[in-house]
Amino acid sequence: MTVAELMQALVNAGFTAGLGVVALPLLLGAAAYFVKTSGNRVLSQRLANVNIGLGFFALLVLVFWTIYAATVPGMIGDTNVLVFLAPLYLVGLAFVIEHFLHPDQQEDVRKRVRSVLLFIAILGVLYFVLSRLSMHMVIWTNVMGFVFFILALIGILYVLIRKVV
């Protein structure tokens, strides 16, 4: 099964898939809560981490599907917006549940995840800017102006990442 077939199956499943996406992190969070109240904190932490891992896996599948769908004309335009929001919901709710069950347990892990997400966002902005301006910068300025512009963007990226990490 390819990523495109998986995403198409999820889109075609409709209400059932949506209900599963809504219920999965809540069920895993409830299981982690009951395990924690029974006294097994380590297993509860692992269940919460599995919940976060599933959210990131869903986000990764969405990214790969979007890359694939960008090559097929009209595929992204025909997709329901909830397909794009579901992985964000999974990741966000998984972090909220983990923080509710185990406050200050993995603050260093959360800080690293935030910095990685910020790094990815900044790289996305750099990619967008460079893909739009590459030819226009060379035509309207000169090659050195384009090189200085890229170096300035890389410098800004370096400063922002060093500030976060």
Side-chain angles (χ1 to χ4, degrees):
M1 174 178 269
T2 64
V3 173
E5 291 170 351
L6 173 67
M7 290 301 289
Q8 196 63 37
L10 287 174
V11 169
N12 290 338
F15 181 74
T16 308
L19 188 63
V21 166
V22 168
L24 181 65
L26 296 173
L27 291 174
L28 281 173
Y33 175 74
F34 288 125
V35 168
K36 180 184 174 192
T37 57
S38 70
N40 196 346
R41 190 172 177 84
V42 174
L43 183 59
S44 173
Q45 183 71 51
R46 287 186 181 152
L47 280 173
N49 288 343
V50 165
N51 203 3
I52 293 171
L54 286 174
F56 277 123
F57 178 72
L59 198 60
L60 184 69
V61 168
L62 177 70
V63 167
F64 287 148
W65 179 80
T66 306
I67 290 170
Y68 168 76
T71 62
V72 178
M75 190 173 206
I76 292 179
D78 293 337
T79 306
N80 191 344
V81 73
L82 295 177
V83 171
F84 294 102
L85 295 178
L88 299 175
Y89 166 79
L90 289 173
V91 170
L93 189 61
F95 272 110
V96 167
I97 289 171
E98 194 274 334
H99 181 69
F100 172 72
L101 292 176
H102 308 284
D104 299 331
Q105 223 19 6
Q106 294 183 336
E107 188 58 37
D108 57 333
V109 173
R110 285 191 207 111
K111 182 179 178 187
R112 290 188 190 276
V113 167
R114 278 188 228 117
S115 64
V116 166
L117 290 177
L118 179 65
F119 181 74
I120 290 170
I122 290 172
L123 283 180
V125 169
L126 281 175
Y127 174 76
F128 177 76
V129 168
L130 291 177
S131 67
R132 301 285 182 204
L133 295 179
S134 61
M135 195 51 66
H136 300 293
M137 284 290 288
V138 172
I139 291 172
W140 289 30
T141 63
N142 55 17
V143 175
M144 288 305 292
F146 181 67
V147 168
F148 284 134
F149 180 71
I150 291 174
L151 289 175
L153 286 176
I154 291 172
I156 291 169
L157 171 70
Y158 177 77
V159 168
L160 287 175
I161 295 301
R162 289 298 297 165
K163 197 173 218 182
V164 170
V165 176

